[in-house]
Amino acid sequence: MCKSNRHTAYNQWTQFEEWPQFMHRLESVSQEEDTQVKIKVKIWGKSKEFTADILEQVPDERIKWEVSEGITHTGVVTFSELAPNLTHVEVNMDVQPGSLLEKAARGMRHIKRAVRADLHRFKAHVMMNQEEQGAWRGTIDDGEVKRTR
């Protein structure tokens, strides 16, 4: 079976603990449960932690999350195959800034620029690593694991 680029991109994205390799503001990521990821970021010299709950995960299609602790936001990443060797990865986030610093970052579109830069680095990460580092191919619906593969 030949794997598509969408399949490869999705598999690489689900390796959450490897994110600090291409998301330069991340200090660490840990995943103790299939439906939860703990992330430590450094923003403007200050370390912040948050916990993201994975609400929906459909292999090769989308991952939807909501932050339960920390910088409040929700988001979804989608994977769309445009051509046999061309995959579109799109991240949409709704950030609810709490502190004055977070409000300033949102107003200056800092978050949007940071996510865009991280996606460019993710593209390079996938292209440089011809072999996938692993994958979690389970399905999550409404925050509960429905199927694992």
Side-chain angles (χ1 to χ4, degrees):
M1 179 173 123
C2 182
K3 293 180 185 175
S4 70
N5 281 356
R6 179 172 76 160
H7 182 91
T8 300
Y10 175 86
N11 285 350
Q12 290 292 91
W13 188 272
T14 60
Q15 299 308 297
F16 302 115
E17 294 180 355
E18 293 183 15
W19 282 6
Q21 293 179 20
F22 57 87
M23 293 185 188
H24 83 276
R25 288 162 192 84
L26 296 188
E27 293 182 332
S28 65
V29 178
S30 65
Q31 183 178 23
E32 275 105 53
E33 299 177 34
D34 291 336
T35 60
Q36 196 171 72
V37 180
K38 294 186 184 283
I39 300 172
K40 185 175 182 181
V41 298
K42 193 165 207 169
I43 302 171
W44 289 334
K46 294 187 177 192
S47 291
K48 298 200 177 240
E49 293 185 30
F50 62 92
T51 301
D53 296 319
I54 299 171
L55 303 175
E56 182 182 339
Q57 186 165 344
V58 180
D60 298 336
E61 292 181 24
R62 63 190 266 130
I63 301 169
K64 182 178 179 181
W65 69 90
E66 176 180 69
V67 170
S68 58
E69 297 174 27
I71 302 168
T72 308
H73 72 276
T74 58
V76 63
V77 58
T78 56
F79 303 85
S80 306
E81 188 169 345
L82 301 177
N85 288 316
L86 185 61
T87 299
H88 177 75
V89 179
E90 183 174 331
V91 176
N92 287 293
M93 293 173 50
D94 183 20
V95 179
Q96 300 299 321
S99 71
L100 192 57
L101 187 62
E102 291 170 12
K103 288 178 182 173
R106 183 179 186 190
M108 293 185 294
R109 302 174 68 84
H110 179 73
I111 296 166
K112 182 178 181 176
R113 288 193 309 266
V115 170
R116 183 177 290 143
D118 286 342
L119 282 172
H120 285 289
R121 283 188 291 279
F122 174 67
K123 176 182 176 183
H125 175 77
V126 171
M127 293 175 77
M128 297 289 287
N129 296 304
Q130 298 289 325
E131 294 295 318
E132 295 173 20
Q133 305 300 314
W136 188 81
R137 306 283 305 161
T139 301
I140 297 173
D141 187 19
D142 201 21
E144 306 230 355
V145 176
K146 299 297 181 184
R147 184 179 68 210
T148 59
R149 297 198 282 178

